[in-house]
Amino acid sequence: MKEQLEAIKQTAFEAVKNAVSEKEIEDLRVKYLGKKGELTALLKQMGGLSPEERPKMGQLVNEAKSNVENLISKKAEELKKKATELKLKAETIDITMPAKEQKIGKLHPLNTVLDDMIDIFQSMGFDVLDGPEVETDHYNFECLNVPADHPARDMQDTFYLGENLLLRTQTSAAQIRTMETRKPPIRVICPGRVFRADEVDATHSPVFHQIEGLVVDKGITMCDLKGVLEQFAHEIYGKDTNVKFRPSFFPFTEPSVEVDVTCSECGGKGCRVCKGSGWIEILGAGMVHPNVLRSCGIDPDVYSGFAFGIGLDRLTTTRYKISDIRLLFENDKRFLDQF
Ligand code: PHE
């Protein structure tokens, strides 16, 4: 039995010495010291020994067990340390390496200009509202004083989706929706996409953007309209920009005006962009027609108001000297990366 013990001890020592992984060490622990391990089995065999031999043998086996145990623990610790070292080495970060380039998204130029416009109007006390792009004939025309046979419908080539359903041709539809849900004093702007069956070229797109504005209160006059729009033009184009109000016509405003500003390309001398006139038209506006107020349940004898519709795309192309409106809609990265 002594020899057996010696043999087990030797193989155990050898095996532990050669072990290369923590798992292997764990297996050896089970193999020799576990409940069914070889050294444990030896202890169980001691029943066959004489009473004198039994304690001696017991002591030897126990000594062997604790030797193997110590060796295993030491080796296990050693392997663990090695593994940690390897792991740390593998995870070393080279802090001298150049960082990965982070691509940061940018605002589309239309959004940059829109944000500026919203800032300007909000600072004048306007709320920002949203309206649907798919509209009914009722909101896009009828309530805006444009009945079915009105020639003004020809001014705007409409995309119809059904008999009464259409893609809004103007954000003015939002005026009606606003007056239906809010009572004066009203001061809102409503930016959004509008659609017209226009021939596509450098200055026309079937999809473009307007910012509608509406002010309704007691005692609102043309002076308020001029003051607000002049202030707006000066904030967008700078104090030196001249602002010109030209008489015009819209069915839903009376009187109506169109507003021109000094051409930012040539400073008013006349160039290709302003077609030689020195002026750029940026918006239509006017005093809200009494019929429109009435159709929204607002008494035109008590209240008055003004409305305006600003072309966002024109403002953007003139600010950034973009020669073709189509560039705003193609989303070519090479173009967008310039802003
Ligand atoms: N809706 C008009 C257009 O699209 C602009 C406008 C808005 C004019 C509000 C007057 C008042 O041309």
Side-chain angles (χ1 to χ4, degrees):
M1 206 167 166
K2 253 190 186 159
E3 281 145 29
Q4 213 180 332
L5 175 63
E6 205 49 44
I8 294 175
K9 239 170 77 178
Q10 282 315 318
T11 43
F13 283 2
E14 197 67 19
V16 172
K17 218 170 84 190
N18 293 334
V20 289
S21 73
E22 290 180 87
K23 162 98 175 57
E24 225 172 295
I25 283 290
E26 224 23 66
D27 289 347
L28 289 173
R29 195 192 290 277
V30 173
K31 182 166 182 220
Y32 291 103
L33 307 169
K35 268 193 193 139
K36 291 177 186 163
E38 291 182 25
L39 286 169
T40 320
L42 220 51
L43 278 176
K44 285 183 190 151
Q45 281 175 31
M46 294 206 316
L49 297 176
S50 68
E52 301 88 61
E53 280 176 318
R54 221 176 286 160
K56 279 191 203 150
M57 200 56 208
Q59 202 188 347
L60 282 179
V61 175
N62 280 331
E63 260 175 37
K65 266 183 91 169
S66 75
N67 282 348
V68 173
E69 172 83 61
N70 281 342
L71 211 63
I72 283 182
S73 299
K74 247 198 213 148
K75 183 78 179 186
E77 210 163 291
E78 209 177 280
L79 284 174
K80 198 169 166 190
K81 222 169 131 189
K82 239 191 208 156
T84 319
E85 264 167 29
L86 273 176
K87 197 168 163 222
L88 284 177
K89 207 166 178 188
E91 287 174 0
T92 313
I93 295 169
D94 179 359
I95 56 167
T96 64
M97 249 167 54
K100 274 195 194 138
E101 190 194 352
Q102 295 278 353
K103 293 243 185 256
I104 298 173
K106 296 182 195 166
L107 284 180
H108 191 284
L110 281 172
N111 284 95
T112 307
V113 177
L114 176 60
D115 285 351
D116 288 354
M117 292 173 73
I118 288 177
D119 275 351
I120 294 170
F121 282 110
Q122 274 181 334
S123 75
M124 291 195 255
F126 284 71
D127 284 344
V128 182
L129 293 186
D130 204 10
E133 291 178 349
V134 173
E135 265 298 2
T136 59
D137 188 273
H138 176 80
Y139 285 105
N140 195 82
F141 290 124
E142 202 71 36
C143 286
L144 286 165
N145 206 26
V146 192
D149 53 358
H150 198 288
R153 290 208 182 198
D154 294 343
M155 282 162 61
Q156 305 180 357
D157 290 318
T158 312
F159 287 115
Y160 280 95
L161 302 174
E163 203 176 325
N164 279 316
L165 223 50
L166 47 86
L167 293 178
R168 67 176 173 196
T169 60
Q170 48 188 351
T171 43
S172 299
Q175 285 185 32
I176 308 299
R177 292 190 175 271
T178 305
M179 286 189 275
E180 279 181 357
T181 52
R182 296 192 173 201
K183 291 295 144 233
I186 293 170
R187 230 181 316 174
V188 298
I189 55 168
C190 173
R193 286 199 294 184
V194 296
F195 307 83
R196 287 183 203 176
D198 269 336
E199 203 77 53
V200 180
D201 63 28
T203 53
H204 293 89
S205 157
V207 186
F208 56 103
H209 301 81
Q210 289 185 330
I211 290 112
E212 193 76 12
L214 176 70
V215 174
V216 182
D217 202 356
K218 288 179 182 159
I220 297 289
T221 69
M222 196 82 182
C223 285
D224 299 300
L225 177 155
K226 283 188 72 181
V228 166
L229 294 177
E230 233 162 38
Q231 172 76 13
F232 163 74
H234 283 152
E235 297 220 22
I236 281 280
Y237 286 105
K239 284 257 174 295
D240 297 338
T241 299
N242 289 324
V243 185
K244 182 165 82 174
F245 292 79
R246 264 187 299 113
S248 184
F249 171 81
F250 299 103
F252 35 90
T253 47
E254 180 60 35
S256 302
V257 290
E258 277 175 311
V259 175
D260 300 342
V261 294
T262 316
C263 174
S264 51
E265 181 76 26
C266 62
K269 284 191 211 79
C271 66
R272 195 181 50 88
V273 173
C274 57
K275 301 202 171 82
S277 72
W279 297 96
I280 298 271
E281 181 202 320
I282 57 163
L283 63 91
M287 300 306 292
V288 182
H289 197 292
N291 286 353
V292 175
L293 291 175
R294 223 173 273 125
S295 76
C296 299
I298 294 176
D299 185 350
D301 291 330
V302 180
Y303 293 101
S304 55
F306 67 87
F308 54 88
I310 305 172
L312 175 62
D313 312 82
R314 175 74 64 84
L315 235 60
T316 307
T317 51
T318 50
R319 174 188 300 186
Y320 293 112
K321 305 201 192 312
I322 296 165
S323 58
D324 193 321
I325 191 176
R326 285 170 287 198
L327 288 165
L328 293 175
F329 301 99
E330 282 165 357
N331 287 330
D332 185 329
K333 258 192 101 254
R334 291 166 302 178
F335 168 73
L336 294 175
D337 276 345
Q338 299 174 46
F339 300 94

